[in-house]
Amino acid sequence: MTIGAKWGPVLATMGMLFLLLQLNLRQNDLQWECQLARQDLKDYQQLDLRHAKLKRQVARAWRERQTACDQLFEWLAGCTSRQDYIVREGPWIVASELRPKRQQVQRVGFYVPQGEHALKFATKKCREDGRRTSQSIAKFFQQDTRRFSHVVAIELPATPQVFELQLVMSQENLHSSLTLRLLGRHNALLDQRVVRLPANCRDILPYEENCLPKLNYPSELDTEQSNWEYFCRSGIPKTELLHLSATGADEEKLGIRFWIESFSPGCMSALKAACYRDNIAGIRQSYSAVNSYHFDDLFEPYVDSGRYQFRDSAFFSPIGLSVDTELH
């Protein structure tokens, strides 16, 4: 027997064994990958279950918050002045109409926590011209207030307290005016202004839906406000207080807008952030590739304050509390 004939079967067997060994190693690798894939699937399933549980907890917490808010504002509806205003502490700005409502007198009570705040208001005159008037007033209430040329700003005391805003309408012949009074601690008169109303003005009414009631952190993005997606791109958020409209002779109209600006970073309630997660992430799509997985990138690290603070690069740029006493 030749050497080739002798060693040929051995070499063929060794080659077959080597191939089997390679296949076995490959099979082991595949089995390991399958095991990892099954573990990943299990982890994803557990993650989905965890997310579903968290969503249920958030929904339950939101319902409890809404119930508590409804009860709070039911109690506030019985307040008649700043003296019996029941909210006198806490981190929120709380505003509600004071009862009873007298003819040609409207009063609003609001609590403001400690910090730098300013009550601001502006007016807008327009005359009926087809549909142009209503559009002009609507734009006034939706516009970025930083674009207003004349804004009256009343700086509020830095200590937490309850304020009362009184709007008293008076008529003398054909001339109408609105006197604005702001009362603070001990009913001290903090500021008083007079606004001319259109001739033959008979009443001042809320424009469309009234902004009251309010329960917001200072500089909080109000996701319950209409067109909040627009307002979130307009600088530090403001707490809208009142939107009023007065109509006089020849359909001359005057819009009056009140709001509170706080010298604090833009923020969002942690509970609202959980409820509006996808919506908030969606409004950033046109600016950068931010989706719900990058939602947390919009905020500074959470510090257990009940709110998330927006990063400076998210939406907002700081603005000051300038005071301009000129009316138009």
Side-chain angles (χ1 to χ4, degrees), residues 187-205:
N187 286 339
L189 181 62
L190 301 180
D191 205 287
Q192 180 169 303
R193 312 279 172 145
V194 177
V195 176
R196 283 193 61 182
L197 298 176
N200 287 331
C201 179
R202 293 287 181 258
D203 201 0
I204 300 177
L205 300 173

Side-chain angles (χ1 to χ4, degrees), residues 55-325:
K55 287 182 178 180
R56 289 194 298 270
Q57 291 175 342
V58 167
R60 182 168 61 252
W62 183 258
R63 289 194 299 270
E64 292 173 353
R65 177 191 185 276
Q66 294 301 95
T67 300
C69 284
D70 291 343
Q71 180 65 72
L72 172 63
F73 285 104
E74 183 178 336
W75 291 336
L76 285 170
C79 296
T80 60
S81 68
R82 64 165 303 282
Q83 289 99 315
D84 62 6
Y85 204 73
I86 63 174
V87 178
R88 294 186 173 271
E89 62 180 4
W92 300 281
I93 296 175
V94 184
S96 63
E97 188 175 5
L98 296 173
R99 309 284 181 164
K101 184 176 180 180
R102 302 184 181 93
Q103 186 176 11
Q104 296 184 324
V105 177
Q106 184 170 355
R107 298 179 303 133
V108 174
F110 60 98
Y111 164 80
V112 176
Q114 184 169 352
E116 296 183 55
H117 312 275
L119 173 65
K120 295 190 175 184
F121 74 91
T123 62
K124 173 69 175 180
K125 294 179 181 178
C126 52
R127 189 177 298 276
E128 187 69 35
D129 181 14
R131 285 186 156 183
R132 189 171 300 174
T133 295
S134 59
Q135 292 174 352
S136 177
I137 288 183
K139 183 178 180 180
F140 168 67
F141 290 122
Q142 296 174 358
Q143 193 174 11
D144 180 0
T145 56
R146 293 179 300 175
R147 297 182 180 180
F148 292 168
S149 57
H150 302 290
V151 173
V152 176
I154 305 169
E155 294 195 45
L156 303 177
T159 54
Q161 59 184 284
V162 177
F163 301 91
E164 180 175 330
L165 176 63
Q166 298 179 347
L167 310 177
V168 183
M169 181 179 172
S170 59
Q171 292 177 312
E172 185 176 348
N173 297 327
L174 297 179
H175 301 289
S176 303
S177 63
L178 183 68
T179 301
L180 316 176
R181 299 193 186 103
L182 180 66
L183 305 182
R185 184 166 292 169
H186 307 304
N187 286 339
L189 181 62
L190 301 180
D191 205 287
Q192 180 169 303
R193 312 279 172 145
V194 177
V195 176
R196 283 193 61 182
L197 298 176
N200 287 331
C201 179
R202 293 287 181 258
D203 201 0
I204 300 177
L205 300 173
Y207 179 77
E208 293 185 348
E209 61 182 49
N210 204 331
C211 294
L212 295 172
K214 285 293 176 188
L215 193 156
N216 284 348
Y217 290 106
S219 300
E220 179 184 347
L221 175 63
D222 186 4
T223 51
E224 296 177 29
Q225 179 183 357
S226 59
N227 297 326
W228 62 267
E229 297 94 336
Y230 167 79
F231 283 109
C232 77
R233 303 166 188 158
S234 303
I236 295 294
K238 298 163 286 292
T239 301
E240 296 287 337
L241 202 61
L242 280 174
H243 290 178
L244 303 174
S245 176
T247 303
D250 300 325
E251 294 301 319
E252 183 181 5
K253 292 183 180 291
L254 180 73
I256 309 173
R257 179 175 172 181
F258 291 86
W259 68 95
I260 296 174
E261 285 189 14
S262 303
F263 195 70
S264 58
C267 68
M268 187 174 184
S269 160
L271 183 55
K272 286 185 181 180
C275 292
Y276 289 87
R277 185 183 184 92
D278 293 336
N279 291 346
I280 294 295
I283 62 178
R284 287 272 294 178
Q285 292 294 342
S286 59
Y287 295 92
S288 60
V290 175
N291 53 38
S292 59
Y293 296 103
H294 300 97
F295 179 78
D296 294 335
D297 294 340
L298 301 177
F299 302 103
E300 298 288 351
Y302 184 65
V303 291
D304 196 25
S305 62
R307 74 197 91 173
Y308 282 101
Q309 177 182 324
F310 282 99
R311 297 184 187 275
D312 291 339
S313 59
F315 300 113
F316 311 113
S317 58
I319 57 176
L321 296 178
S322 60
V323 178
D324 184 349
T325 59

